[in-house]
Amino acid sequence: MAALTTTPFVQAFTALNPGITLRVYFLFYECSVEEQKYLTELRREKESFQQLIKDRAQMAISVDKDISDKDESLFSKISQKVIVDVREFRSALPSFLHRRNFDIVPVTLEVGDYILTPDVCIERKSVSDLFGSLNSGRLYNQVTAMNRHYKRPMLLIELSQEKTFSLQGISANRDSSQIGSEKLVLLTLHFPCLRILWCHSSQAATDLFKEIKLEQLEPNSESIMDLRESCEVDSSFLASAKDFILKVPGVNTRNYRLLMEKCKDFQEVITYDTHDLIQNLRVVNGTLIWNFLHYELLV
């Protein structure tokens, strides 16, 4: 009886023993059910290989393939710095970054999880944590902090390789999944500068990081420490008060903390003269603030 499943074993044997010549005969009755069954299996195998060749020609290169020695030599030429929150070392992404010759700087970050450039901050969310952060409002606060301190805030969503590349079917409850998707849309509408990154694995996220850092400045650890102090000071002030005072000409992110510490309220700022403002701030900033507060409106 001709069994197509035995053919690969014979092929493997001849490949391992090239010096042995084998001649294989298939015996079956002509115009029989056995013959048709064999021809059907042979046709299916041929069609499967043709489809495999076609799919391989059209598919993208797998992101989880092993890095060749040639690729490793290319990555070893340039070492790029990434500031990583120490709590992120429980995930696999920092190890992938280290494998791709990234210079990992572990720091306890108050804002974001990964700092790629002085302007780029990334908050990473796994699939299991995404909907929980959306429903609790924690993600909104995290994006608010990134949007306040960085010009290019980004949200990295790591999807599971075993599931489809979409938010559908992530949650067991279809209604909660729909609500989570709606909240994600509202988040992007509220923060137009927020960019959302999608990836199937940590290897894909590493490739995204490399593209984002292309021809960009390296992050500065000292500025991260200044940002931590800024966040500690911000905790004693209302965010709305900070946003309001930053709208005043002459007040910026470098001097607003000093102004809020010197004055107990905004009314006290109005009573200051130019000399007091110049002593507390720089000359140009003090003059701009005083001119703005005492500008006469023409009716």
Side-chain angles (χ1 to χ4, degrees), residues 258 262 272-283 286:
L258 180 61
K262 296 290 184 179
Y272 281 3
D273 56 14
T274 309
H275 179 72
D276 295 332
L277 292 173
I278 290 175
Q279 284 186 341
N280 292 332
L281 306 173
R282 294 187 303 177
V283 177

Side-chain angles (χ1 to χ4, degrees), residues 25-153:
Y25 297 92
F26 290 97
L27 303 178
F28 48 82
Y29 291 101
E30 186 179 1
C31 299
S32 61
V33 176
E34 181 184 11
E35 180 185 9
Q36 294 300 321
K37 182 179 179 181
Y38 170 75
L39 295 177
T40 301
E41 293 180 355
L42 188 63
R43 185 180 69 254
R44 289 178 179 175
E45 184 184 34
K46 182 180 179 181
E47 292 176 353
S48 299
F49 274 102
Q50 290 176 348
Q51 185 65 31
L52 180 62
I53 295 173
K54 182 180 178 180
D55 293 342
R56 185 175 182 180
Q58 296 177 352
M59 70 182 297
I61 300 176
S62 176
V63 296
D64 294 316
K65 68 182 183 67
D66 294 334
I67 303 175
S68 61
D69 296 337
K70 182 179 179 181
D71 295 334
E72 288 286 1
S73 62
L74 293 176
F75 293 132
S76 60
K77 293 181 180 179
I78 303 176
S79 180
Q80 297 176 318
K81 181 190 295 185
V82 176
I83 299 178
V84 183
D85 187 13
V86 293
R87 289 160 294 203
E88 277 294 304
F89 283 90
R90 292 174 292 183
S91 64
L93 183 54
S95 62
F96 275 89
L97 292 173
H98 179 72
R99 180 183 178 185
R100 297 292 290 271
N101 202 38
F102 279 90
D103 185 11
I104 305 299
V105 181
V107 177
T108 302
L109 297 178
E110 299 293 337
V111 179
D113 294 327
Y114 298 88
I115 309 299
L116 303 187
T117 71
D119 297 331
V120 178
C121 176
I122 295 180
E123 178 73 26
R124 186 191 68 88
K125 291 295 180 184
S126 62
V127 174
S128 58
D129 190 31
L130 176 62
F131 286 131
S133 300
L134 284 171
N135 295 330
S136 64
R138 182 163 55 94
L139 182 58
Y140 178 85
N141 296 330
Q142 292 171 337
V143 175
T144 301
M146 288 194 300
N147 189 69
R148 181 173 299 167
H149 298 285
Y150 294 94
K151 296 181 180 179
R152 298 172 58 191

